[in-house]
Amino acid sequence: MEFLHAVHTLAPIYDNTSEILILGSFPSVKSRETNFYYGHPRNRFWGVIAAVFGESVPETIEEKKDFLLRNHLAVWDVIASCEIAGSADSSIKNVVPNEIERIVRAAPISSICINGDKAYRLFLKYCRYETMPKVYKLPSTSPANAAWSKERLIEEWSVPLCKERKDVRREYEKN
């Protein structure tokens, strides 16, 4: 297995209305090539969150940024740099974490949704701090997580994405 020392080059996406922070572990090779989050065409992230919000799947980087900000979502990753073989989360070592608290201080983040087990374990190890919002561990949208169908992912991701949004909470609580 050949390891590469990789540095996270994608800026976090958020603004002063972002309520939910979604964290992955580290951008895949394809995401690093496309220069945006969840860039692998088989990653189900964009299809899942579009379905949760009843919208069409954004295609371009600008459409994706607009989608996130319009829906009060922020996106970043736990890791600032690491050694990694390809895109395999299981190979990650020598982690330097991102300063997650920076976004939580700058935006009204009410919850953090973590995309997958590895990102969750890394978050707990490196990014916990005293006044943390509610944290949700969600199943990975990666194509490597074949045990979860897109329909199951949508159902699981709907809970925190709808429950934690101020503007859709009433509708969620009625159901």
PDB file of all heavy atoms in Angstrom, residues 110-138:
ATOM      1  N   SER A 110     -26.375  24.339  15.291  1.00  0.00           N
ATOM      2  CA  SER A 110     -27.123  23.670  16.362  1.00  0.00           C
ATOM      3  C   SER A 110     -26.797  22.188  16.439  1.00  0.00           C
ATOM      4  O   SER A 110     -27.067  21.542  17.453  1.00  0.00           O
ATOM      5  CB  SER A 110     -28.625  23.858  16.167  1.00  0.00           C
ATOM      6  OG  SER A 110     -29.028  23.270  14.937  1.00  0.00           O
ATOM      7  N   SER A 111     -26.234  21.628  15.357  1.00  0.00           N
ATOM      8  CA  SER A 111     -25.866  20.218  15.385  1.00  0.00           C
ATOM      9  C   SER A 111     -24.765  19.945  14.369  1.00  0.00           C
ATOM     10  O   SER A 111     -24.569  20.691  13.410  1.00  0.00           O
ATOM     11  CB  SER A 111     -27.075  19.323  15.109  1.00  0.00           C
ATOM     12  OG  SER A 111     -27.553  19.528  13.805  1.00  0.00           O
ATOM     13  N   ILE A 112     -24.061  18.855  14.639  1.00  0.00           N
ATOM     14  CA  ILE A 112     -23.004  18.388  13.757  1.00  0.00           C
ATOM     15  C   ILE A 112     -23.384  16.986  13.303  1.00  0.00           C
ATOM     16  O   ILE A 112     -23.622  16.102  14.127  1.00  0.00           O
ATOM     17  CB  ILE A 112     -21.635  18.372  14.472  1.00  0.00           C
ATOM     18  CG1 ILE A 112     -21.258  19.787  14.928  1.00  0.00           C
ATOM     19  CG2 ILE A 112     -20.563  17.775  13.570  1.00  0.00           C
ATOM     20  CD1 ILE A 112     -20.006  19.858  15.794  1.00  0.00           C
ATOM     21  N   CYS A 113     -23.466  16.790  11.993  1.00  0.00           N
ATOM     22  CA  CYS A 113     -23.785  15.488  11.409  1.00  0.00           C
ATOM     23  C   CYS A 113     -22.501  14.933  10.802  1.00  0.00           C
ATOM     24  O   CYS A 113     -21.902  15.582   9.937  1.00  0.00           O
ATOM     25  CB  CYS A 113     -24.865  15.625  10.341  1.00  0.00           C
ATOM     26  SG  CYS A 113     -26.453  16.134  11.009  1.00  0.00           S
ATOM     27  N   ILE A 114     -22.124  13.756  11.255  1.00  0.00           N
ATOM     28  CA  ILE A 114     -20.855  13.195  10.824  1.00  0.00           C
ATOM     29  C   ILE A 114     -21.111  12.043   9.865  1.00  0.00           C
ATOM     30  O   ILE A 114     -21.838  11.097  10.172  1.00  0.00           O
ATOM     31  CB  ILE A 114     -20.012  12.778  12.033  1.00  0.00           C
ATOM     32  CG1 ILE A 114     -19.804  14.014  12.913  1.00  0.00           C
ATOM     33  CG2 ILE A 114     -18.684  12.184  11.563  1.00  0.00           C
ATOM     34  CD1 ILE A 114     -18.984  13.806  14.132  1.00  0.00           C
ATOM     35  N   ASN A 115     -20.506  12.153   8.677  1.00  0.00           N
ATOM     36  CA  ASN A 115     -20.721  11.230   7.571  1.00  0.00           C
ATOM     37  C   ASN A 115     -19.786  10.023   7.695  1.00  0.00           C
ATOM     38  O   ASN A 115     -18.677  10.035   7.177  1.00  0.00           O
ATOM     39  CB  ASN A 115     -20.496  11.968   6.242  1.00  0.00           C
ATOM     40  CG  ASN A 115     -20.932  11.163   5.043  1.00  0.00           C
ATOM     41  OD1 ASN A 115     -21.248   9.985   5.136  1.00  0.00           O
ATOM     42  ND2 ASN A 115     -20.938  11.810   3.884  1.00  0.00           N
ATOM     43  N   GLY A 116     -20.248   8.993   8.384  1.00  0.00           N
ATOM     44  CA  GLY A 116     -19.515   7.740   8.457  1.00  0.00           C
ATOM     45  C   GLY A 116     -18.768   7.505   9.754  1.00  0.00           C
ATOM     46  O   GLY A 116     -18.481   8.421  10.519  1.00  0.00           O
ATOM     47  N   ASP A 117     -18.457   6.237   9.973  1.00  0.00           N
ATOM     48  CA  ASP A 117     -17.835   5.789  11.210  1.00  0.00           C
ATOM     49  C   ASP A 117     -16.425   6.328  11.411  1.00  0.00           C
ATOM     50  O   ASP A 117     -16.074   6.768  12.496  1.00  0.00           O
ATOM     51  CB  ASP A 117     -17.822   4.256  11.248  1.00  0.00           C
ATOM     52  CG  ASP A 117     -17.304   3.724  12.558  1.00  0.00           C
ATOM     53  OD1 ASP A 117     -17.920   4.034  13.604  1.00  0.00           O
ATOM     54  OD2 ASP A 117     -16.272   3.026  12.554  1.00  0.00           O
ATOM     55  N   LYS A 118     -15.605   6.302  10.361  1.00  0.00           N
ATOM     56  CA  LYS A 118     -14.222   6.771  10.512  1.00  0.00           C
ATOM     57  C   LYS A 118     -14.194   8.257  10.860  1.00  0.00           C
ATOM     58  O   LYS A 118     -13.461   8.681  11.761  1.00  0.00           O
ATOM     59  CB  LYS A 118     -13.418   6.508   9.237  1.00  0.00           C
ATOM     60  CG  LYS A 118     -11.965   6.916   9.311  1.00  0.00           C
ATOM     61  CD  LYS A 118     -11.179   6.040  10.268  1.00  0.00           C
ATOM     62  CE  LYS A 118      -9.692   6.311  10.165  1.00  0.00           C
ATOM     63  NZ  LYS A 118      -8.883   5.261  10.750  1.00  0.00           N
ATOM     64  N   ALA A 119     -14.994   9.064  10.167  1.00  0.00           N
ATOM     65  CA  ALA A 119     -15.062  10.501  10.474  1.00  0.00           C
ATOM     66  C   ALA A 119     -15.530  10.708  11.909  1.00  0.00           C
ATOM     67  O   ALA A 119     -15.003  11.568  12.621  1.00  0.00           O
ATOM     68  CB  ALA A 119     -15.992  11.211   9.492  1.00  0.00           C
ATOM     69  N   TYR A 120     -16.493   9.899  12.359  1.00  0.00           N
ATOM     70  CA  TYR A 120     -17.012  10.016  13.723  1.00  0.00           C
ATOM     71  C   TYR A 120     -15.921   9.696  14.744  1.00  0.00           C
ATOM     72  O   TYR A 120     -15.715  10.444  15.708  1.00  0.00           O
ATOM     73  CB  TYR A 120     -18.207   9.081  13.891  1.00  0.00           C
ATOM     74  CG  TYR A 120     -18.848   9.150  15.254  1.00  0.00           C
ATOM     75  CD1 TYR A 120     -19.631  10.240  15.622  1.00  0.00           C
ATOM     76  CD2 TYR A 120     -18.689   8.111  16.167  1.00  0.00           C
ATOM     77  CE1 TYR A 120     -20.235  10.308  16.874  1.00  0.00           C
ATOM     78  CE2 TYR A 120     -19.285   8.171  17.413  1.00  0.00           C
ATOM     79  CZ  TYR A 120     -20.055   9.265  17.764  1.00  0.00           C
ATOM     80  OH  TYR A 120     -20.638   9.327  19.003  1.00  0.00           O
ATOM     81  N   ARG A 121     -15.207   8.596  14.535  1.00  0.00           N
ATOM     82  CA  ARG A 121     -14.141   8.218  15.474  1.00  0.00           C
ATOM     83  C   ARG A 121     -13.034   9.271  15.507  1.00  0.00           C
ATOM     84  O   ARG A 121     -12.534   9.620  16.579  1.00  0.00           O
ATOM     85  CB  ARG A 121     -13.584   6.848  15.139  1.00  0.00           C
ATOM     86  CG  ARG A 121     -14.547   5.732  15.559  1.00  0.00           C
ATOM     87  CD  ARG A 121     -13.986   4.339  15.395  1.00  0.00           C
ATOM     88  NE  ARG A 121     -14.104   3.940  13.995  1.00  0.00           N
ATOM     89  CZ  ARG A 121     -13.091   3.570  13.226  1.00  0.00           C
ATOM     90  NH1 ARG A 121     -11.883   3.513  13.689  1.00  0.00           N
ATOM     91  NH2 ARG A 121     -13.298   3.229  11.973  1.00  0.00           N
ATOM     92  N   LEU A 122     -12.669   9.814  14.348  1.00  0.00           N
ATOM     93  CA  LEU A 122     -11.645  10.860  14.298  1.00  0.00           C
ATOM     94  C   LEU A 122     -12.135  12.140  14.977  1.00  0.00           C
ATOM     95  O   LEU A 122     -11.380  12.808  15.678  1.00  0.00           O
ATOM     96  CB  LEU A 122     -11.229  11.144  12.855  1.00  0.00           C
ATOM     97  CG  LEU A 122     -10.435  10.029  12.174  1.00  0.00           C
ATOM     98  CD1 LEU A 122     -10.371  10.278  10.675  1.00  0.00           C
ATOM     99  CD2 LEU A 122      -9.049   9.899  12.769  1.00  0.00           C
ATOM    100  N   PHE A 123     -13.393  12.472  14.771  1.00  0.00           N
ATOM    101  CA  PHE A 123     -13.980  13.649  15.413  1.00  0.00           C
ATOM    102  C   PHE A 123     -13.899  13.512  16.939  1.00  0.00           C
ATOM    103  O   PHE A 123     -13.484  14.429  17.638  1.00  0.00           O
ATOM    104  CB  PHE A 123     -15.436  13.828  14.969  1.00  0.00           C
ATOM    105  CG  PHE A 123     -16.136  14.963  15.653  1.00  0.00           C
ATOM    106  CD1 PHE A 123     -15.999  16.260  15.198  1.00  0.00           C
ATOM    107  CD2 PHE A 123     -16.933  14.735  16.774  1.00  0.00           C
ATOM    108  CE1 PHE A 123     -16.639  17.321  15.832  1.00  0.00           C
ATOM    109  CE2 PHE A 123     -17.573  15.787  17.413  1.00  0.00           C
ATOM    110  CZ  PHE A 123     -17.420  17.079  16.939  1.00  0.00           C
ATOM    111  N   LEU A 124     -14.317  12.352  17.452  1.00  0.00           N
ATOM    112  CA  LEU A 124     -14.279  12.137  18.899  1.00  0.00           C
ATOM    113  C   LEU A 124     -12.854  12.210  19.446  1.00  0.00           C
ATOM    114  O   LEU A 124     -12.625  12.727  20.533  1.00  0.00           O
ATOM    115  CB  LEU A 124     -14.903  10.786  19.258  1.00  0.00           C
ATOM    116  CG  LEU A 124     -16.409  10.654  19.031  1.00  0.00           C
ATOM    117  CD1 LEU A 124     -16.874   9.254  19.431  1.00  0.00           C
ATOM    118  CD2 LEU A 124     -17.192  11.715  19.780  1.00  0.00           C
ATOM    119  N   LYS A 125     -11.914  11.722  18.680  1.00  0.00           N
ATOM    120  CA  LYS A 125     -10.518  11.700  19.135  1.00  0.00           C
ATOM    121  C   LYS A 125      -9.875  13.086  19.109  1.00  0.00           C
ATOM    122  O   LYS A 125      -9.143  13.454  20.019  1.00  0.00           O
ATOM    123  CB  LYS A 125      -9.711  10.741  18.262  1.00  0.00           C
ATOM    124  CG  LYS A 125      -8.266  10.588  18.685  1.00  0.00           C
ATOM    125  CD  LYS A 125      -7.561   9.522  17.884  1.00  0.00           C
ATOM    126  CE  LYS A 125      -6.138   9.353  18.383  1.00  0.00           C
ATOM    127  NZ  LYS A 125      -5.442   8.264  17.681  1.00  0.00           N
ATOM    128  N   TYR A 126     -10.155  13.876  18.056  1.00  0.00           N
ATOM    129  CA  TYR A 126      -9.408  15.115  17.834  1.00  0.00           C
ATOM    130  C   TYR A 126     -10.195  16.418  17.986  1.00  0.00           C
ATOM    131  O   TYR A 126      -9.586  17.479  18.104  1.00  0.00           O
ATOM    132  CB  TYR A 126      -8.796  15.115  16.424  1.00  0.00           C
ATOM    133  CG  TYR A 126      -7.773  14.051  16.207  1.00  0.00           C
ATOM    134  CD1 TYR A 126      -8.044  12.948  15.401  1.00  0.00           C
ATOM    135  CD2 TYR A 126      -6.506  14.152  16.779  1.00  0.00           C
ATOM    136  CE1 TYR A 126      -7.094  11.970  15.185  1.00  0.00           C
ATOM    137  CE2 TYR A 126      -5.555  13.183  16.572  1.00  0.00           C
ATOM    138  CZ  TYR A 126      -5.847  12.089  15.767  1.00  0.00           C
ATOM    139  OH  TYR A 126      -4.900  11.124  15.563  1.00  0.00           O
ATOM    140  N   CYS A 127     -11.512  16.363  17.907  1.00  0.00           N
ATOM    141  CA  CYS A 127     -12.256  17.615  17.741  1.00  0.00           C
ATOM    142  C   CYS A 127     -13.267  17.916  18.838  1.00  0.00           C
ATOM    143  O   CYS A 127     -14.033  18.868  18.714  1.00  0.00           O
ATOM    144  CB  CYS A 127     -12.984  17.613  16.398  1.00  0.00           C
ATOM    145  SG  CYS A 127     -11.889  17.386  14.993  1.00  0.00           S
ATOM    146  N   ARG A 128     -13.308  17.146  19.881  1.00  0.00           N
ATOM    147  CA  ARG A 128     -14.270  17.437  20.953  1.00  0.00           C
ATOM    148  C   ARG A 128     -13.811  18.661  21.730  1.00  0.00           C
ATOM    149  O   ARG A 128     -12.634  18.850  21.968  1.00  0.00           O
ATOM    150  CB  ARG A 128     -14.396  16.246  21.873  1.00  0.00           C
ATOM    151  CG  ARG A 128     -15.068  15.071  21.178  1.00  0.00           C
ATOM    152  CD  ARG A 128     -15.370  13.963  22.148  1.00  0.00           C
ATOM    153  NE  ARG A 128     -16.315  14.355  23.155  1.00  0.00           N
ATOM    154  CZ  ARG A 128     -17.626  14.206  23.066  1.00  0.00           C
ATOM    155  NH1 ARG A 128     -18.153  13.695  21.993  1.00  0.00           N
ATOM    156  NH2 ARG A 128     -18.425  14.574  24.052  1.00  0.00           N
ATOM    157  N   TYR A 129     -14.775  19.468  22.128  1.00  0.00           N
ATOM    158  CA  TYR A 129     -14.475  20.635  22.938  1.00  0.00           C
ATOM    159  C   TYR A 129     -15.640  20.879  23.885  1.00  0.00           C
ATOM    160  O   TYR A 129     -16.668  20.210  23.806  1.00  0.00           O
ATOM    161  CB  TYR A 129     -14.140  21.859  22.079  1.00  0.00           C
ATOM    162  CG  TYR A 129     -15.165  22.159  21.023  1.00  0.00           C
ATOM    163  CD1 TYR A 129     -16.210  23.028  21.265  1.00  0.00           C
ATOM    164  CD2 TYR A 129     -15.082  21.566  19.764  1.00  0.00           C
ATOM    165  CE1 TYR A 129     -17.155  23.295  20.314  1.00  0.00           C
ATOM    166  CE2 TYR A 129     -16.035  21.829  18.802  1.00  0.00           C
ATOM    167  CZ  TYR A 129     -17.064  22.692  19.079  1.00  0.00           C
ATOM    168  OH  TYR A 129     -18.005  22.943  18.127  1.00  0.00           O
ATOM    169  N   GLU A 130     -15.481  21.818  24.777  1.00  0.00           N
ATOM    170  CA  GLU A 130     -16.393  21.962  25.910  1.00  0.00           C
ATOM    171  C   GLU A 130     -17.846  22.247  25.545  1.00  0.00           C
ATOM    172  O   GLU A 130     -18.754  21.594  26.027  1.00  0.00           O
ATOM    173  CB  GLU A 130     -15.862  23.059  26.834  1.00  0.00           C
ATOM    174  CG  GLU A 130     -16.382  22.927  28.243  1.00  0.00           C
ATOM    175  CD  GLU A 130     -15.672  23.862  29.175  1.00  0.00           C
ATOM    176  OE1 GLU A 130     -14.431  23.763  29.294  1.00  0.00           O
ATOM    177  OE2 GLU A 130     -16.364  24.708  29.771  1.00  0.00           O
ATOM    178  N   THR A 131     -18.113  23.213  24.723  1.00  0.00           N
ATOM    179  CA  THR A 131     -19.493  23.612  24.422  1.00  0.00           C
ATOM    180  C   THR A 131     -19.890  23.173  23.023  1.00  0.00           C
ATOM    181  O   THR A 131     -20.077  23.990  22.132  1.00  0.00           O
ATOM    182  CB  THR A 131     -19.668  25.134  24.577  1.00  0.00           C
ATOM    183  OG1 THR A 131     -18.737  25.772  23.703  1.00  0.00           O
ATOM    184  CG2 THR A 131     -19.440  25.582  26.000  1.00  0.00           C
ATOM    185  N   MET A 132     -20.012  21.886  22.845  1.00  0.00           N
ATOM    186  CA  MET A 132     -20.285  21.324  21.535  1.00  0.00           C
ATOM    187  C   MET A 132     -21.781  21.174  21.288  1.00  0.00           C
ATOM    188  O   MET A 132     -22.531  20.804  22.196  1.00  0.00           O
ATOM    189  CB  MET A 132     -19.621  19.953  21.445  1.00  0.00           C
ATOM    190  CG  MET A 132     -19.633  19.411  20.059  1.00  0.00           C
ATOM    191  SD  MET A 132     -18.596  17.959  19.840  1.00  0.00           S
ATOM    192  CE  MET A 132     -17.479  17.992  21.178  1.00  0.00           C
ATOM    193  N   PRO A 133     -22.234  21.474  20.056  1.00  0.00           N
ATOM    194  CA  PRO A 133     -23.644  21.208  19.727  1.00  0.00           C
ATOM    195  C   PRO A 133     -23.901  19.701  19.706  1.00  0.00           C
ATOM    196  O   PRO A 133     -22.974  18.902  19.812  1.00  0.00           O
ATOM    197  CB  PRO A 133     -23.804  21.795  18.322  1.00  0.00           C
ATOM    198  CG  PRO A 133     -22.496  22.316  17.901  1.00  0.00           C
ATOM    199  CD  PRO A 133     -21.496  22.045  18.963  1.00  0.00           C
ATOM    200  N   LYS A 134     -25.148  19.337  19.526  1.00  0.00           N
ATOM    201  CA  LYS A 134     -25.518  17.927  19.421  1.00  0.00           C
ATOM    202  C   LYS A 134     -24.791  17.305  18.229  1.00  0.00           C
ATOM    203  O   LYS A 134     -24.683  17.920  17.161  1.00  0.00           O
ATOM    204  CB  LYS A 134     -27.023  17.811  19.221  1.00  0.00           C
ATOM    205  CG  LYS A 134     -27.533  16.374  19.242  1.00  0.00           C
ATOM    206  CD  LYS A 134     -29.016  16.332  19.023  1.00  0.00           C
ATOM    207  CE  LYS A 134     -29.724  16.831  20.268  1.00  0.00           C
ATOM    208  NZ  LYS A 134     -31.176  16.647  20.196  1.00  0.00           N
ATOM    209  N   VAL A 135     -24.301  16.069  18.412  1.00  0.00           N
ATOM    210  CA  VAL A 135     -23.547  15.368  17.366  1.00  0.00           C
ATOM    211  C   VAL A 135     -24.324  14.120  16.946  1.00  0.00           C
ATOM    212  O   VAL A 135     -24.776  13.346  17.792  1.00  0.00           O
ATOM    213  CB  VAL A 135     -22.138  14.981  17.866  1.00  0.00           C
ATOM    214  CG1 VAL A 135     -21.401  14.150  16.831  1.00  0.00           C
ATOM    215  CG2 VAL A 135     -21.337  16.228  18.226  1.00  0.00           C
ATOM    216  N   TYR A 136     -24.476  13.937  15.632  1.00  0.00           N
ATOM    217  CA  TYR A 136     -25.129  12.759  15.069  1.00  0.00           C
ATOM    218  C   TYR A 136     -24.125  11.976  14.242  1.00  0.00           C
ATOM    219  O   TYR A 136     -23.473  12.535  13.360  1.00  0.00           O
ATOM    220  CB  TYR A 136     -26.279  13.166  14.137  1.00  0.00           C
ATOM    221  CG  TYR A 136     -27.438  13.830  14.816  1.00  0.00           C
ATOM    222  CD1 TYR A 136     -27.472  15.211  14.979  1.00  0.00           C
ATOM    223  CD2 TYR A 136     -28.508  13.075  15.279  1.00  0.00           C
ATOM    224  CE1 TYR A 136     -28.558  15.828  15.589  1.00  0.00           C
ATOM    225  CE2 TYR A 136     -29.601  13.687  15.888  1.00  0.00           C
ATOM    226  CZ  TYR A 136     -29.608  15.063  16.040  1.00  0.00           C
ATOM    227  OH  TYR A 136     -30.678  15.669  16.642  1.00  0.00           O
ATOM    228  N   LYS A 137     -24.023  10.692  14.503  1.00  0.00           N
ATOM    229  CA  LYS A 137     -23.217   9.799  13.660  1.00  0.00           C
ATOM    230  C   LYS A 137     -24.155   9.212  12.616  1.00  0.00           C
ATOM    231  O   LYS A 137     -25.125   8.541  12.943  1.00  0.00           O
ATOM    232  CB  LYS A 137     -22.600   8.682  14.505  1.00  0.00           C
ATOM    233  CG  LYS A 137     -21.833   7.673  13.692  1.00  0.00           C
ATOM    234  CD  LYS A 137     -21.373   6.524  14.582  1.00  0.00           C
ATOM    235  CE  LYS A 137     -20.807   5.409  13.745  1.00  0.00           C
ATOM    236  NZ  LYS A 137     -20.601   4.205  14.567  1.00  0.00           N
ATOM    237  N   LEU A 138     -23.863   9.483  11.340  1.00  0.00           N
ATOM    238  CA  LEU A 138     -24.715   9.012  10.251  1.00  0.00           C
ATOM    239  C   LEU A 138     -23.968   7.986   9.400  1.00  0.00           C
ATOM    240  O   LEU A 138     -22.737   8.010   9.322  1.00  0.00           O
ATOM    241  CB  LEU A 138     -25.157  10.191   9.392  1.00  0.00           C
ATOM    242  CG  LEU A 138     -26.061  11.178  10.135  1.00  0.00           C
ATOM    243  CD1 LEU A 138     -26.276  12.429   9.318  1.00  0.00           C
ATOM    244  CD2 LEU A 138     -27.381  10.525  10.468  1.00  0.00           C
TER     245      LEU A 138
END
